[in-house]
Amino acid sequence: MRRYTLYIYSILSILIVGCKPKAELPSQFKESNTEAEIYPDYKDVVVPPNIAPLNFICRDSAAVAYVAHLKGNDQEILAAASEDGIIRLDSTEWRRLLSRSKGSDVSVDIYGKRPDGWVHFKPYKISVAEEDIDAFISYRLIEPGYELYRQLGIYQRDLTTFDEKPIYENNRQYNNGENHCINCHNYRMGSTESMLFHVRSNHGGTIIVQDGKAHKIQLKDSTIISSGVYPSWHPTENLVAFSTNKTGQAFHVYYPEKLEVLDEKSDLLLYDVTKNEVSHIFRTADDMETFPCWSPDGRMLYYCSAKRNYLLDPSLPDSLIARRLLSKFDSIRYNLMSIPFDPATRSFGKPQMVVNAASEGKSISVPRVSPDGRYVLYTKGDYGQFHIWHKSSDLWVKDLQTDSCYALSEANSPDVDSFHSWSSNSRWFVFSSRRMDENYTRLFIAYFDKDGKAHKPFVIPQEDPEWNILLLKSYNVPELSRDAVSISMQDLHHCIYETEGENAVYKQNPTAIVDLDGTTGASPKATTDRVSSANQKK
């Protein structure tokens, strides 16, 4: 059977090569003072030397044929468009072109055949960086709005090719007994040797994969708001920091945004994978802590925190808190915080203000520290923490050496720019954006140079560039990794469906910040207020 499949594949490959349009440069043409319209926009971008071919569509209302000529250092590619205007670049020629053009530019000349003859559009360039990007990216594919958890999957794409494979899919058709959500996949320091993701509803639990084996855990205790939510692996210790959130969502009727996701309350947890023990980092009533992220040396934990008590009437019953917060959704603002950590003693220090966004009427979410430890990349919007729905969301960085904060203007757009992940060499990051059609998130890659400047981003290449239009799902939670996930979907399916999950043992953390009434002197409120005042005096 396998031989037969390979035989059919070989025949199809021969037919495809045989049908490939012949590429010849026109001998006569007119110069145009306009650029060719192409999709996606790959003009004047910086690309890694190991990226897959940037196939694109030529769009010209009068042209019936196209030829593209790419020239680099001692290497060139000549490609003709198919009848639908798609330029597909030969992968072998493309790899050779990028390899020989590291640190320099590739010029792109496009010719279009119109009824009155060929025209030569204004050329553009593609700059090839010296540094590679991590070869693999994982993401969830999900409808922009949904009611059921069906047809969810976490997938992995090889960025050097067009290969995509599922890491795990829940079910193709709705089945109430098997219906469950999967989310929050995460790796340790860009390696899939340690990974996790959550399963919600039926067969729920947190799936942890190490040494090629998966097991399910349950983070439950009467003191924990919910199970673990947003995770971050410690870089050197077998620990994971989780947020624990009581989250709700509401759909806007008149507001320009479609959906609002907010927390009623949230804390931070520390989970010991080896001992299967969980403890609090924060357990507070006034502060909502979320989105933990370790520094590369593992000695600092960054997170986001918002005050909620100033929005609430102290006499308000618990049953009405969520409704009250929802009515004030655009007044909830998160600051970027950090707290020191000693890996030897597993102890935490005092919280510190890193960026006081609330003081400028803004809100921060999803901090990620560059692997070289110098920059914190985060999203900043007008309010809230679920910025994937907020058009005001932009990408910002804080330079931890100079203490300066600035927007990555070259990477941002008028629409949503949100969840992001660093490449392990700190020269690239990938992020999700709705800039293409305002409804679906697509994944974009941007070069981040040694001077801390982001360059024009480009959407991840597809073998068929129309796929970015035809796929009616959003790319969600992009995570770069150096290696591929090795565990099989069958093994993950067995772990999820056939095991109940081991309950983690709750342990008291003597350095945890516990403030259940918002009045104790050791509360995060008192500490962060002091730091905030000191920063304002500067």
Side-chain angles (χ1 to χ4, degrees):
M1 182 65 181
R2 179 173 174 78
R3 288 183 179 181
Y4 179 75
T5 303
L6 291 174
Y7 175 76
I8 295 296
Y9 179 80
S10 299
I11 293 295
L12 290 173
S13 299
I14 293 172
L15 291 174
I16 291 172
V17 172
C19 296
K20 185 178 180 180
K22 185 178 180 180
E24 292 182 352
L25 286 176
S27 57
Q28 294 183 340
F29 53 85
K30 296 178 180 179
E31 293 290 346
S32 172
N33 60 1
T34 61
E35 294 182 341
E37 183 182 351
I38 64 170
Y39 176 88
D41 180 9
Y42 290 139
K43 297 176 183 177
D44 303 318
V45 297
V46 183
V47 302
N50 60 333
I51 196 69
L54 302 186
N55 295 338
F56 60 92
I57 308 172
C58 295
R59 293 172 166 173
D60 185 280
S61 58
V64 295
Y66 304 92
V67 173
H69 187 205
L70 287 72
K71 296 176 291 184
N73 291 338
D74 303 319
Q75 186 66 31
E76 59 183 316
I77 299 176
L78 194 61
S82 54
E83 292 183 357
D84 52 7
I86 296 179
I87 297 285
R88 290 181 171 86
L89 304 171
D90 181 85
S91 59
T92 301
E93 293 178 349
W94 173 260
R95 283 194 295 270
R96 188 181 301 121
L97 175 67
L98 294 194
S99 176
R100 296 184 181 181
S101 302
K102 285 184 179 181
S104 61
D105 295 337
V106 171
S107 63
V108 183
D109 292 83
I110 298 176
Y111 301 82
K113 185 179 182 181
R114 293 173 174 171
D116 59 348
W118 286 90
V119 296
H120 175 219
F121 297 100
K122 289 179 64 175
Y124 63 90
K125 64 180 175 65
I126 297 173
S127 299
V128 185
E130 295 278 2
E131 306 93 340
D132 286 349
I133 191 172
D134 288 351
F136 298 94
I137 186 170
S138 304
Y139 41 80
R140 188 170 63 154
L141 291 178
I142 185 172
E143 284 79 8
Y146 58 94
E147 294 179 357
L148 302 174
Y149 296 138
R150 63 183 176 187
Q151 297 182 2
L152 287 180
I154 302 174
Y155 301 86
Q156 181 173 261
R157 164 73 187 275
D158 185 342
L159 289 174
T160 68
T161 69
F162 299 112
D163 294 338
E164 180 190 76
K165 73 170 188 177
I167 296 173
Y168 178 76
E169 295 176 314
N170 56 0
N171 48 19
R172 284 290 178 179
Q173 296 181 350
Y174 177 71
N175 183 322
N176 189 55
E178 298 182 353
N179 198 34
H180 55 268
C181 180
I182 46 178
N183 54 38
C184 296
H185 54 281
N186 190 260
Y187 308 115
R188 187 211 300 268
M189 293 294 289
S191 173
T192 64
E193 292 182 3
S194 294
M195 66 171 288
L196 64 84
F197 63 90
H198 301 308
V199 177
R200 305 299 189 201
S201 188
N202 296 308
H203 316 292
T206 296
I207 310 302
I208 293 183
V209 180
Q210 288 188 316
D211 300 323
K213 297 180 180 180
H215 67 279
K216 185 193 296 185
I217 63 166
Q218 306 288 353
L219 298 177
K220 296 180 179 180
D221 184 78
S222 60
T223 63
I224 296 176
I225 296 171
S226 68
S227 55
V229 185
Y230 304 118
S232 179
W233 283 91
H234 193 276
T236 59
E237 303 294 315
N238 208 19
L239 303 171
V240 182
F242 288 101
S243 65
T244 173
N245 311 62
K246 186 175 182 180
T247 302
Q249 64 179 7
F251 292 86
H252 293 294
V253 178
Y254 298 108
Y255 204 73
E257 311 288 4
K258 292 182 175 66
L259 176 65
E260 193 58 43
V261 179
L262 54 82
D263 290 339
E264 180 180 334
K265 52 185 175 179
S266 56
D267 293 324
L268 293 187
L269 304 173
L270 184 67
Y271 174 66
D272 187 319
V273 181
T274 303
K275 297 180 179 180
N276 192 33
E277 294 178 352
V278 63
S279 59
H280 273 98
I281 303 171
F282 290 99
R283 186 182 173 211
T284 59
D286 186 13
D287 295 81
M288 297 186 290
E289 303 91 357
T290 190
F291 290 121
C293 172
W294 294 103
S295 61
D297 63 4
R299 304 191 69 85
M300 189 71 72
L301 182 68
Y302 292 85
Y303 62 98
C304 299
S305 180
K307 307 288 183 186
R308 73 168 193 162
N309 279 6
Y310 76 96
L311 299 169
L312 301 174
D313 182 342
S315 63
L316 198 68
D318 290 346
S319 60
L320 295 181
I321 287 178
R323 183 179 298 179
R324 175 62 175 169
L325 287 174
L326 184 59
S327 70
K328 298 288 186 179
F329 71 93
D330 55 358
S331 298
I332 302 174
R333 294 186 171 91
Y334 287 76
N335 294 319
L336 178 59
M337 307 290 296
S338 67
I339 185 169
F341 178 71
D342 184 349
T345 60
R346 304 284 175 91
S347 59
F348 290 91
K350 292 183 178 180
Q352 306 170 37
M353 181 76 72
V354 180
V355 180
N356 190 343
S359 66
E360 54 182 290
K362 297 293 182 179
S363 187
I364 288 175
S365 69
V366 197
R368 291 294 184 94
V369 186
S370 59
D372 61 11
R374 177 164 179 177
Y375 298 93
V376 183
L377 176 60
Y378 56 90
T379 65
K380 185 164 77 169
D382 289 342
Y383 61 90
Q385 49 83 28
F386 212 75
H387 285 156
I388 196 170
W389 290 105
H390 297 167
K391 292 181 182 295
S392 64
S393 174
D394 281 328
L395 299 171
W396 283 65
V397 292
K398 174 158 186 173
D399 187 334
L400 297 176
Q401 287 188 10
T402 65
D403 206 36
S404 61
C405 300
Y406 54 93
L408 299 182
S409 56
E410 292 295 328
N412 290 323
S413 74
D415 214 279
V416 177
D417 300 301
S418 57
F419 198 99
H420 43 269
S421 172
W422 288 98
S423 185
S424 58
N425 57 12
S426 302
R427 295 280 73 84
W428 303 94
F429 63 89
V430 62
F431 64 99
S432 61
S433 177
R434 296 186 191 270
R435 67 185 64 193
M436 280 188 162
D437 56 21
E438 301 183 2
N439 291 308
Y440 293 90
T441 53
R442 306 288 190 265
L443 300 186
F444 286 78
I445 296 170
Y447 183 58
F448 189 81
D449 65 29
K450 295 179 181 178
D451 296 323
K453 177 184 176 182
H455 293 252
K456 179 182 176 181
F458 62 96
V459 70
I460 59 171
Q462 305 286 354
E463 187 169 20
D464 180 357
E466 282 191 303
W467 188 241
N468 287 313
I469 303 172
L470 299 175
L471 179 63
L472 300 180
K473 286 182 181 287
S474 282
Y475 290 82
N476 181 251
V477 189
E479 292 284 0
L480 287 166
S481 63
R482 299 183 300 276
D483 48 3
V485 173
S486 58
I487 191 169
S488 69
M489 189 161 61
Q490 290 75 18
D491 287 344
L492 291 174
H493 187 278
H494 174 79
C495 177
I496 292 169
Y497 279 79
E498 306 298 330
T499 64
E500 293 297 323
E502 184 179 1
N503 289 325
V505 177
Y506 182 80
K507 294 286 187 179
Q508 292 284 350
N509 179 358
T511 63
I513 297 178
V514 179
D515 177 20
L516 299 183
D517 58 10
T519 61
T520 61
S523 71
K525 179 179 187 301
T527 305
T528 54
D529 282 350
R530 287 195 299 270
V531 177
S532 176
S533 299
N535 287 344
Q536 290 174 359
K537 290 178 181 179
K538 292 180 181 179

